[in-house]
Amino acid sequence: MTVQLEVTTENLLNAVAQMPESEFNRFVEKAKEIRIKRKPLAENDLIHKINTIYSAEKRQRYNHLYEKFQQENITPKEHKELLKLSDEFEMLDAEKLEYLGELAKLRGQSFEKVVKEFKVKL
């Protein structure tokens, strides 16, 4: 039989405040271990989001249409599609920058360092 309890942050903090010193220290060390174990998952998730934010198909389509645009060989329908993709990539770029900021914060690094690591041009 399993029993689950709902514990509020306030209740947990009150319980921690009442712990004897040795129990408190043990609790803190265990809490740090839990945080360290969770951190790589969060970091890996952010890295995955950063690296896969653009679908390969859309990127290929955009490149193809952009090439046609540069060669002045694009139909009005294709031009409209190019503009739509361009707007979409702009939104994804903003999202990617947010992920990079979260990753920098998680790692305790500067935003610039993380941006440089992922070779993002600002």
Side-chain angles (χ1 to χ4, degrees):
M1 181 170 128
T2 303
V3 177
Q4 285 190 307
L5 299 174
E6 280 193 46
V7 179
T8 66
T9 303
E10 197 61 38
N11 288 342
L12 181 59
L13 289 172
N14 287 334
V16 169
Q18 296 173 30
M19 289 178 175
E21 186 75 24
S22 61
E23 188 68 20
F24 174 79
N25 291 336
R26 198 170 132 249
F27 176 83
V28 169
E29 288 306 313
K30 284 288 190 185
K32 286 179 184 178
E33 287 174 20
I34 290 168
R35 176 56 69 195
I36 288 169
K37 287 178 184 174
R38 287 181 56 192
K39 184 178 175 182
L41 292 177
E43 185 172 325
N44 289 339
D45 187 42
L46 283 169
I47 290 170
H48 177 73
K49 287 177 180 180
I50 290 165
N51 288 329
T52 61
I53 198 158
Y54 311 112
S55 77
E57 298 82 28
K58 283 187 180 184
R59 177 57 70 191
Q60 279 182 320
R61 182 66 179 156
Y62 175 86
N63 290 340
H64 172 73
L65 292 173
Y66 187 71
E67 189 176 304
K68 287 183 81 169
F69 175 76
Q70 286 183 315
Q71 296 170 354
E72 298 179 5
N73 188 23
I74 193 168
T75 68
K77 185 178 177 182
E78 289 172 327
H79 189 252
K80 187 175 180 179
E81 183 183 358
L82 176 63
L83 293 175
K84 184 180 174 202
L85 285 171
S86 182
D87 287 344
E88 188 176 330
F89 284 144
E90 236 176 80
M91 296 298 287
L92 291 173
D93 282 342
E95 200 173 320
K96 185 175 186 174
L97 291 176
E98 284 182 39
Y99 294 146
L100 289 165
E102 288 178 42
L103 184 60
K105 186 175 179 181
L106 184 66
R107 288 179 171 179
Q109 296 176 331
S110 72
F111 178 75
E112 291 78 13
K113 182 175 182 175
V114 174
V115 165
K116 189 175 182 180
E117 177 185 338
F118 284 88
K119 298 178 176 103
V120 174
K121 295 178 183 160
L122 299 177

